[in-house]
Amino acid sequence: MDPIFLASAAATWALNKLLDHLKDSAIKALLRSEGLDREVGPIEVTLMRANLVLGSVPTGSAASGVRIRNKELINHVNKVHQHASFLANELDKVKYQCIKQEVKKKNLENASIFKSKMKSITQVGTSEQKISGYDIRLIKKTADELEKICNDVHEALVVEKLGQIVEATKNMDIDTRETVDSKTETEVVPREEENDIRQLITASASPHQQLLVLPIVGDGGVGKTTLARQVYNDQRVKDKFEMMIWIYVSANFDEVKVTQGILQQIPKCEYKPSTNLNVLQGSIKKHLTGKFLIVLDDMWEESQGRWEKLLAPLRCTEKGGVVLVTTRKLSVANATGRSNAPINLDGMKVDMFWSFFQTCIFGHTDYRGKKLLKIGKEIATKLKGNPLAAKSVGALLGKKPNEHAWRNILDRDEWKIQNETDDIMPALRLSYNHLPDRLQQLFSYCALFPKGYKFDKEQLIRMWVALGFVTHERIPLGDAASYSFDELVYGSFFQKEERYFILHDLMHDVAQEVSAFQCLTIAGPDPQEASQSVHLIRHVGIWTEMVYNEGSMERNETFEEKLDKIQDGDILKSLESFMLVGTYDENFSAKFAKTLEKLQYVRLLRLSMHFNVDALLSSVTKFIHLRYLELRYTSQERKPLPEAICKLYHLLLLDIMHWSGLDDLPKAMSNLVCLRYLLVPGSGSLHSRISRVGQMKFLQELSEFRVQEEKGFEIAQLGSLSEIRGSLSILDLDNVKTKQKASEARIKDKKHLRTLSLSWGSASARESAAVQKEVIEGLKPHDRLAHLHIINYAGASPSWIAMKGLESLHLHNCMGIDVLPPFEEMECLQKLSLIGMSSLRDVDIDMGLEDDELELSEVEIASCSALTSIRLHFGKILTKFDVKDCVALSSIEGLPSSGQRKHYVIQGCPQLPADTV
């Protein structure tokens, strides 16, 4: 990739981040209060002009094919990046002080301090916010330097025939709108070899058969993993095997870790964790007792001895086992499959590939535009029959279906540097070069993760948001990031694998290539080396899985030396994200603790802690710029979360899901007023420990809220939390006494809420039924709620319960409800659960007929002591019907004949006639 293009893209992002800071309402208000807002206007104009100048560099090199040859430009562009990042971080400090003072003010108000005293203290606090004239002069001076640098850049571009670049840009498509087809699923590559592989492995799935090892060998991106996955997911294959195991191996082959991975995927396998291969292999012999299919994906290890050592316990089972191996190297295939000829997977045949390529572009093969099809065939010949290249370039062509755009792609310089007949890297680079700047930034960051990493979409988009990679003026940043992720999936930059997403190894290579100036990954004995421009490194990821083994922590001085390479203070001061994921020994921990102390502006931190925990946490609590913090603590020694965490006022996400033994939260959690996500261990009961949670008005996850009489836990705390989404359980509603108080929770305003659970402390006495009825009326949710649970409720059925959009209704121990809602109005209802409904005498469910039939498919009724009859009126048969322990139930009408029943269970109902059951 062109280094000038990469540097200018990074600098452009830094300028945008600085501009966002200057537009921030809190900073604007502070500047206005100091009479400095007039100074900022000219600075913004300068920065926007700098952006326009830099914008011509990536546009020219990425889209037009014109390359800038003046390498001195890199130094100028890098200076822009450094100055912009520095100023953005300084303004970040200003905003931190703004938030800090707001928190102080709110806490003083909550403490009910006398107004006069509060006023004097608040004024003292406000004085801490002041920006000195020197500060604004520094910003002005740096902006002037930026303007001078950008003038130099502009003059250099003119020398480099900027006119040629601009002209090429003008010739690009007028319509630059990006459209994402609704078709986002990865196209399935049809392969003749699939049937052969399926027959071979199913034939070996019988007792007393020798272990079959079958390698699939082919070039990168040719479809080896896709083919193996199709076979693995084929129901005919699944029916033959009792155990299905998939292991991603990659270049870091380790017999111990592969064996551990196999054991972890054996159903109901309980084995003692160990790093001793003999012990692990003994567990394999003990637990791998049935017919099994094991896929070892992306093998690189050529050592016959190590391979045979791994297979030894598998050969002993004689239960009918198959090991399917995918590899790029024929030498690996020969070593692993000596007794079986490997399946050689080449590029797709011309006709089949052309049909597949058309599907990747248009979604079908019926397009009839002759000019485009002619150009498309010429492009197809450059893709060497490779499915990954077809998906990537096809998605690019599908966005701009016009002759000029396709001709431009066909004539690009990237094709001229194909090194071998099977080289598809130019095609992948081409797809990257045509991504919008905003998507290039998001994709390139993924180089920080090791090959084979399983990306969780929600986790990754939260990282993007925390780092400021995502901006949008009209929709929430999380939604904007989600849409961007989907665009990358559509362009085949990500591939879906069950509930996760992965980068193909070749796509990962592209990401590393374009992020070399900004990202440094240390993932094993041979990590990616830092680029020469180490001062531009902004993100470091350290992944220890391939270096240290749990249970046997041998010192690895070679790996420690890798950490030494980033000890340069300037590098650490400028880092924006830092990850240490995995286990490690005490020596590495001590060295890492010193590294952590030198960080200044880090915004994202993922940290696995095993030793020196107090020292590590002491450093973490000083990082006032943090937006994303994930802490893993797995020691048997219990340790509370430090109270100082609550001073990280910028935090958007705090992930402590893997903090062992955590049974409480710091008392001042509500000071984290910018927090959107609080991920805690278990079911989320720790959320109910947050006092004054109402201050956290941006919070999107609150699994549980327990109403208390204690100040800070009133139900009104929920009133300002309009961003809550997902699931919310409100417990101990006994402590709410009036409809007005219940209404203060403003449940109806929580438009993103999908599941609501309302629970009273116990099956309450009837004398409180009227109060509870009033309370539940005040808790009416919005009409898009999908799931409703009402528990231990004594009042009559709430007036709002028959919601049209409700998908499931669970009524448990609701002793006052004797009449069910009209189900015919609940047109989306799929699941009904009635448990312990002591006043309910009749259940009459009429789901309609034909076109008006409702969706109800599951009914569960249990422990309804007064229930005497159930009447069912269905056009379709229920898929699940459970009736248990209803001692007075004497009739069920509308049951289908026994031959038509699917999952029907009726038990513990002694009054029912025998023929009913």
Side-chain angles (χ1 to χ4, degrees):
M1 289 292 176
D2 185 350
I4 297 179
F5 161 47
L6 298 177
S8 62
T12 299
W13 172 76
L15 284 170
N16 283 328
K17 187 169 71 168
L18 177 55
L19 281 165
D20 285 342
H21 276 72
L22 288 170
K23 293 175 184 176
D24 184 271
S25 57
I27 292 177
K28 271 188 169 182
L30 185 57
L31 293 171
R32 195 180 304 114
S33 69
E34 300 295 329
L36 300 172
D37 49 327
R38 292 182 180 178
E39 300 282 348
V40 176
I43 295 174
E44 286 183 319
V45 172
T46 298
L47 295 177
M48 286 188 282
R49 182 179 178 279
N51 240 345
L52 289 172
V53 172
L54 286 180
S56 64
V57 178
T59 300
S61 63
S64 70
V66 177
R67 293 188 176 276
I68 308 300
R69 294 174 175 80
N70 182 358
K71 302 306 179 186
E72 291 300 317
L73 270 176
I74 296 179
N75 293 329
H76 293 297
V77 174
N78 287 342
K79 285 181 181 178
V80 175
H81 190 178
Q82 291 170 353
H83 286 316
S85 294
F86 170 75
L87 290 176
N89 287 327
E90 291 303 306
L91 286 175
D92 208 37
K93 289 181 182 178
V94 173
K95 187 174 180 182
Y96 175 87
Q97 292 299 327
C98 293
I99 301 172
K100 180 179 179 181
Q101 297 309 316
E102 285 299 315
V103 170
K104 280 186 177 181
K105 182 178 179 181
K106 179 64 73 173
N107 287 340
L108 288 172
E109 291 173 352
N110 287 329
S112 300
I113 297 178
F114 291 113
K115 289 185 178 180
S116 57
K117 185 176 180 181
M118 185 175 71
K119 182 178 179 181
S120 62
I121 294 176
T122 304
Q123 287 174 343
V124 171
T126 304
S127 65
E128 297 177 17
Q129 302 179 36
K130 290 183 181 294
I131 301 178
S132 68
Y134 169 78
D135 293 329
I136 206 68
R137 286 196 299 274
L138 174 63
I139 294 174
K140 184 77 168 65
K141 178 183 176 183
T142 309
D144 290 341
E145 291 175 6
L146 281 174
E147 184 175 23
K148 182 180 183 302
I149 295 168
C150 287
N151 284 335
D152 294 340
V153 172
H154 184 267
E155 290 175 9
L157 288 174
V158 171
V159 173
E160 288 282 336
K161 300 180 181 179
L162 180 59
Q164 180 184 352
I165 297 175
V166 172
E167 190 62 32
T169 304
K170 287 179 181 177
N171 288 333
M172 293 181 65
D173 315 309
I174 297 174
D175 184 3
T176 59
R177 292 174 297 171
E178 294 169 33
T179 57
V180 179
D181 197 294
S182 59
K183 171 184 63 65
T184 58
E185 289 295 322
T186 302
E187 293 81 3
V188 176
V189 183
R191 287 293 192 177
E192 298 173 355
E193 295 86 352
E194 181 182 349
N195 189 52
D196 296 335
I197 295 172
R198 185 175 61 250
Q199 290 180 358
L200 279 170
I201 66 177
T202 53
S204 297
S206 58
H208 310 300
Q209 287 282 341
Q210 289 186 343
L211 180 73
L212 172 66
V213 179
L214 186 60
I216 304 174
V217 61
D219 298 320
V222 80
K224 302 180 298 296
T225 299
T226 301
L227 176 58
R229 181 66 69 181
Q230 287 173 232
V231 172
Y232 184 84
N233 289 329
D234 191 301
Q235 191 59 50
R236 290 166 291 185
V237 173
K238 290 182 177 180
D239 291 341
K240 289 286 186 178
F241 295 98
E242 298 166 56
M243 301 180 193
M244 306 281 287
I245 296 169
W246 186 289
I247 305 288
Y248 177 78
V249 183
S250 193
N252 297 306
F253 179 80
D254 185 320
E255 305 95 309
V256 171
K257 290 191 177 296
V258 173
T259 305
Q260 288 173 337
I262 293 172
L263 285 167
Q264 289 166 3
Q265 294 188 48
I266 296 176
K268 299 180 181 179
C269 173
E270 296 181 3
Y271 72 98
K272 185 177 181 180
S274 173
T275 56
N276 184 301
L277 186 60
N278 291 330
V279 172
L280 293 172
Q281 291 191 331
S283 297
I284 288 282
K285 294 175 183 178
K286 178 180 178 182
H287 295 288
L288 202 63
T289 57
K291 293 177 289 185
F292 61 85
L293 170 62
I294 299 175
V295 179
L296 299 179
D297 187 28
D298 197 26
M299 275 280 292
W300 290 80
E301 180 57 50
E302 299 176 86
S303 168
Q304 184 70 46
R306 297 187 69 184
W307 174 245
E308 289 300 329
K309 188 185 295 185
L310 173 68
L311 291 186
L314 304 180
R315 295 193 190 279
C316 295
T317 59
E318 294 187 357
K319 296 291 184 181
V322 176
V323 177
L324 193 60
V325 179
T326 71
T327 180
R328 290 192 212 174
K329 303 181 72 174
L330 184 60
S331 56
V332 174
N334 291 333
T336 58
R338 288 185 303 165
S339 58
N340 299 283
I343 303 292
N344 289 293
L345 203 61
D346 297 318
M348 298 171 67
K349 293 179 180 178
V350 175
D351 290 344
M352 184 178 289
F353 183 73
W354 173 234
S355 295
F356 178 68
F357 190 38
Q358 288 182 79
T359 303
C360 293
I361 300 171
F362 306 111
H364 54 77
T365 58
D366 298 329
Y367 185 77
R368 293 293 177 262
K370 292 183 179 180
K371 288 185 177 180
L372 282 189
L373 290 178
K374 182 177 182 297
I375 301 171
K377 281 190 175 182
E378 293 183 64
I379 294 173
T381 60
K382 297 178 178 293
L383 304 181
K384 316 300 181 185
N386 190 289
L388 178 63
K391 293 174 187 175
S392 177
V393 177
L396 173 60
L397 296 176
K399 287 183 178 181
K400 299 179 179 181
N402 66 74
E403 182 182 356
H404 177 76
W406 284 26
R407 181 71 64 185
N408 185 39
I409 289 169
L410 176 63
D411 295 338
R412 287 299 302 273
D413 285 344
E414 281 89 345
W415 303 119
K416 298 176 183 178
I417 56 175
Q418 280 185 311
N419 298 318
E420 301 174 10
T421 57
D422 60 355
D423 185 10
I424 66 163
M425 287 301 287
L428 304 185
R429 294 190 189 102
L430 187 70
S431 297
Y432 171 82
N433 284 343
H434 277 76
L435 283 175
D437 292 347
R438 59 184 177 82
L439 294 185
Q440 288 182 348
Q441 175 78 22
L442 303 182
F443 171 72
S444 64
Y445 184 72
C446 296
L448 200 61
F449 300 81
K451 284 188 175 181
Y453 184 84
K454 293 184 176 181
F455 290 92
D456 178 275
K457 176 182 176 180
E458 291 303 316
Q459 182 188 49
L460 182 60
I461 65 177
R462 289 168 183 173
M463 289 182 179
W464 288 342
V465 170
L467 288 165
F469 292 167
V470 181
T471 58
H472 207 286
E473 295 180 357
R474 295 185 300 278
I475 63 175
L477 295 183
D479 292 341
S482 180
Y483 300 150
S484 294
F485 184 92
D486 292 342
E487 288 183 74
L488 290 171
V489 172
Y490 175 80
S492 292
F493 291 89
F494 286 100
Q495 297 178 353
K496 198 170 192 321
E497 187 175 286
E498 297 176 347
R499 60 179 292 262
Y500 295 102
F501 294 84
I502 60 171
L503 288 181
H504 189 280
D505 282 0
L506 296 180
M507 280 297 187
H508 191 276
D509 291 342
V510 174
Q512 285 193 322
E513 186 178 327
V514 300
S515 66
F517 290 97
Q518 293 225 320
C519 294
L520 174 63
T521 304
I522 305 175
D526 300 309
Q528 170 195 349
E529 296 295 334
S531 67
Q532 292 182 349
S533 303
V534 289
H535 59 283
L536 290 177
I537 294 294
R538 292 292 184 267
H539 313 286
V540 171
I542 304 174
W543 308 82
T544 66
E545 182 183 7
M546 295 300 171
V547 182
Y548 299 97
N549 291 313
E550 291 184 12
S552 178
M553 288 294 168
E554 297 181 5
R555 185 172 187 180
N556 192 312
E557 295 186 30
T558 302
F559 196 67
E560 291 176 26
E561 290 173 4
K562 306 301 179 183
L563 188 59
D564 291 337
K565 290 189 176 182
I566 60 170
Q567 289 289 342
D568 183 299
D570 291 335
I571 299 175
L572 294 172
K573 286 178 182 178
S574 63
L575 285 187
E576 298 190 2
S577 59
F578 200 26
M579 304 183 192
L580 174 61
V581 181
T583 189
Y584 48 86
D585 74 335
E586 195 162 0
N587 294 294
F588 185 85
S589 178
K591 188 179 289 286
F592 180 78
K594 294 179 180 178
T595 303
L596 199 64
E597 290 176 359
K598 298 179 181 180
L599 300 180
Q600 283 191 11
Y601 298 116
V602 65
R603 295 168 65 99
L604 182 151
L605 182 65
R606 298 180 68 192
L607 183 58
S608 299
M609 299 180 294
H610 307 283
F611 308 96
N612 305 311
V613 176
D614 291 332
L616 293 174
L617 290 174
S618 177
S619 294
V620 169
T621 54
K622 297 175 184 176
F623 299 148
I624 65 170
H625 299 272
L626 273 176
R627 264 72 171 176
Y628 186 113
L629 177 60
E630 177 186 331
L631 298 173
R632 290 177 174 243
Y633 174 72
T634 55
S635 172
Q636 296 298 318
E637 180 184 351
R638 297 171 73 86
K639 182 176 289 294
L641 198 65
E643 193 72 31
I645 288 282
C646 303
K647 294 183 179 179
L648 302 177
Y649 302 122
H650 275 309
L651 267 186
L652 303 178
L653 179 144
L654 176 59
D655 183 349
I656 46 175
M657 287 181 66
H658 301 282
W659 188 293
S660 295
L662 192 64
D663 56 8
D664 205 352
L665 294 173
K667 297 188 182 304
M669 281 299 293
S670 60
N671 286 352
L672 299 177
V673 293
C674 293
L675 202 68
R676 298 178 187 178
Y677 307 100
L678 175 58
L679 310 180
V680 297
S683 62
S685 61
L686 282 179
H687 286 165
S688 65
R689 304 292 186 92
I690 305 173
S691 176
R692 298 191 179 94
V693 70
Q695 293 181 193
M696 307 167 75
K697 61 183 180 180
F698 299 111
L699 200 63
Q700 295 186 16
E701 290 197 41
L702 188 69
S703 300
E704 183 176 299
F705 181 83
R706 193 174 292 274
V707 184
Q708 301 178 41
E709 295 181 357
E710 180 184 347
K711 188 173 179 58
F713 294 94
E714 313 92 334
I715 195 167
Q717 291 291 330
L718 295 173
S720 59
L721 304 181
S722 58
E723 295 299 316
I724 290 179
R725 55 194 64 207
S727 175
L728 170 64
S729 293
I730 308 177
L731 308 176
D732 294 340
L733 281 165
D734 314 66
N735 293 317
V736 184
K737 304 301 182 183
T738 66
K739 179 179 179 180
Q740 181 181 356
K741 285 292 182 184
S743 298
E744 292 176 2
R746 296 173 62 182
I747 300 299
K748 193 172 183 179
D749 294 341
K750 305 184 195 318
K751 303 295 185 182
H752 305 292
L753 202 60
R754 289 276 296 165
T755 302
L756 176 65
S757 178
L758 305 174
S759 178
W760 281 255
S762 61
S764 307
R766 289 193 179 277
E767 46 267 28
S768 63
V771 172
Q772 293 190 21
K773 177 65 164 63
E774 287 296 302
V775 168
I776 204 168
E777 291 296 337
L779 297 173
K780 179 180 178 180
H782 63 85
D783 56 11
R784 294 196 297 271
L785 190 76
H787 310 285
L788 175 65
H789 300 247
I790 302 177
I791 304 167
N792 295 334
Y793 169 65
S797 183
S799 62
W800 47 259
I801 195 170
M803 293 182 288
K804 288 186 177 181
L806 207 62
E807 296 174 17
S808 69
L809 174 63
H810 303 259
L811 303 176
H812 293 193
N813 296 331
C814 297
M815 60 192 307
I817 295 181
D818 56 3
V819 177
L820 294 175
F823 295 112
E824 61 273 14
E825 295 180 13
M826 304 169 71
E827 54 192 33
C828 298
L829 192 67
Q830 299 173 20
K831 184 174 182 179
L832 174 66
S833 177
L834 306 170
I835 309 293
M837 305 289 286
S838 58
S839 299
L840 194 63
R841 296 183 177 277
D842 300 291
V843 173
D844 193 342
I845 305 176
D846 186 350
M847 299 307 296
L849 295 171
E850 299 177 355
D851 293 340
D852 294 329
E853 185 175 329
L854 303 188
E855 299 292 325
L856 188 62
S857 60
E858 297 184 22
V859 173
E860 177 187 21
I861 303 174
S863 303
C864 295
S865 56
L867 184 64
T868 59
S869 67
I870 299 175
R871 288 181 295 277
L872 306 174
H873 310 276
F874 291 98
K876 294 180 181 177
I877 300 173
L878 288 170
T879 58
K880 181 178 179 181
F881 181 68
D882 283 4
V883 179
K884 298 177 182 178
D885 303 322
C886 296
V887 294
L889 183 63
S890 59
S891 70
I892 301 180
E893 298 178 16
L895 275 179
S897 62
S898 57
Q900 293 179 303
R901 299 179 188 178
K902 296 183 179 180
H903 182 91
Y904 277 52
V905 176
I906 303 173
Q907 62 185 37
C909 304
Q911 303 301 318
L912 277 177
D915 59 348
T916 303
V917 181

